[in-house]
Amino acid sequence: MSTAVTSKKTKKTKITANNAVANGQVQSLSRGLTLLEYISESPGGIALTDLAQQAGLPNSTTHRLLTTLQQHGFIRQIGDLGLWVIGSHTFIVGSSFLQSRNLLALIHPILRRLMEDSGETVNLAILDHSEYEAVIVDQVQCNALMRMSAPIGGKLPMHASGAGKAFLSTLSDNQLVQLLHKKGLHSYTQHTKTTPSNLKENLEQARKQGYSFDDEEHALGLRCIAACIYDEHHQAFAAISISGPVSRITDDRITELGALVIRAAKEISKEYGGIR
């Protein structure tokens, strides 16, 4: 197996500047895509120097290409070593291929069942690390005349949406402070949590309950209940949510819907990541 991998990478390193020009390729684009492929083959992340060596490029050139890819959200850095991993925008751009992905094939039936059990629209969102927003990647709309509807690829604010706050509830205090310093707390309605203390208190409640609650914080008349989905490393990589009008998601239904979304999130985490 290691021989096959080595052979594959050796073939890629032949995409040099001269070959790119000779083949009619745009040199920088070809190099960037090659780096993206190497990163995709390293689930745990890969260092800049290793990428440069594999691609046969100077460190400085590699860094410029990586920075450009990062600015567009295709890759991101993690950990103290600054390893490069695939970013959420790579997932978004490939959304036309989602129906053939095992992940979506696994999750979509669960989303549909949750919609039928709750009677409300159900969404699947991932975290866009480049913009720090929750991105909707799948949705099952309910049959009610009045219902929540958002486009696939639509972005939700982290501090004022069910999915966003579900992600925030998994962060440490230091990570949360850094995020708030970068993004701020924009007010969408009079119900939006616009002070760090109020948001932290709300997130603590979400941790205790196991689900987050958007109470007309992003849009008046709309409520949303969400819970995170975890991978085999116990990292939140997606969130599932139930959204609907206040007239149907009443105070006495919140606990019931919270239990439904927790159960669905746990089922997906178990099936996809082996989390029990």
Side-chain angles (χ1 to χ4, degrees):
M1 182 176 293
S2 59
T3 302
V5 172
T6 301
S7 175
K8 185 178 183 180
K9 290 187 175 181
T10 300
K11 184 176 181 180
K12 285 182 182 177
T13 58
K14 292 181 181 179
I15 304 179
T16 62
N18 291 334
N19 284 345
V21 173
N23 294 331
Q25 300 175 13
V26 177
Q27 180 181 333
S28 58
L29 178 59
S30 179
R31 288 173 168 179
L33 291 174
T34 299
L35 293 176
L36 192 62
E37 290 180 6
Y38 282 136
I39 295 171
S40 71
E41 294 168 359
S42 305
I46 184 170
L48 183 149
T49 52
D50 292 333
L51 276 170
Q53 183 179 15
Q54 290 179 13
L57 297 171
N59 286 354
S60 58
T61 301
T62 303
H63 183 265
R64 287 197 299 272
L65 293 169
L66 291 175
T67 300
T68 300
L69 289 170
Q70 181 184 37
Q71 290 172 346
H72 287 275
F74 287 99
I75 59 175
R76 61 190 179 95
Q77 280 186 291
I78 61 170
D80 296 335
L81 298 177
L83 300 180
W84 292 94
V85 297
I86 289 294
S88 59
H89 199 61
T90 303
F91 181 87
I92 297 169
V93 170
S95 61
S96 61
F97 193 61
L98 286 180
Q99 294 305 315
S100 66
R101 291 175 59 90
N102 291 336
L103 173 61
L104 266 294
L106 167 70
I107 293 180
H108 194 79
I110 299 175
L111 299 184
R112 178 162 294 281
R113 187 167 69 246
L114 181 58
M115 182 277 290
E116 294 170 349
D117 292 342
S118 65
E120 301 296 342
T121 295
V122 175
N123 306 285
L124 177 69
I126 61 171
L127 178 60
D128 180 351
H129 289 271
S130 64
E131 297 294 334
Y132 291 96
E133 293 172 317
V135 181
I136 298 175
V137 295
D138 198 9
Q139 181 182 89
V140 178
Q141 292 189 18
C142 67
N143 298 318
L145 184 61
M146 183 185 298
R147 60 181 182 266
M148 180 271 189
S149 178
I152 300 299
K155 294 185 177 182
L156 302 169
M158 294 292 284
H159 71 290
S161 66
K165 291 200 292 182
F167 285 125
L168 290 184
S169 69
T170 68
L171 300 181
S172 67
D173 286 344
N174 288 338
Q175 290 173 318
L176 181 61
V177 169
Q178 291 177 6
L179 176 58
L180 296 183
H181 179 73
K182 179 177 181 178
K183 297 293 291 184
L185 293 171
H186 177 75
S187 177
Y188 294 93
T189 74
Q190 62 265 39
H191 303 291
T192 306
K193 303 291 186 294
T194 56
T195 65
S197 59
N198 286 343
L199 180 59
K200 287 182 179 180
E201 182 179 349
N202 187 255
L203 295 178
E204 181 58 32
Q205 183 67 24
R207 295 185 189 101
K208 292 178 181 178
Q209 296 172 156
Y211 62 86
S212 61
F213 179 42
D214 164 15
D215 189 7
E216 300 186 81
E217 296 159 46
H218 188 215
L220 290 176
L222 180 68
R223 281 178 159 177
C224 181
I225 299 167
C228 280
I229 299 168
Y230 296 87
D231 62 19
E232 66 273 21
H233 304 295
H234 294 267
Q235 297 294 316
F237 73 97
I240 189 171
S241 68
I242 298 172
S243 300
V246 176
S247 59
R248 291 201 303 269
I249 301 186
T250 54
D251 291 346
D252 59 357
R253 289 198 71 203
I254 294 172
T255 301
E256 168 204 348
L257 295 176
L260 287 177
V261 80
I262 289 173
R263 185 176 68 189
K266 286 184 176 179
E267 181 179 356
I268 297 170
S269 296
K270 178 181 178 181
E271 293 294 327
Y272 180 74
I275 304 298
R276 299 186 182 277

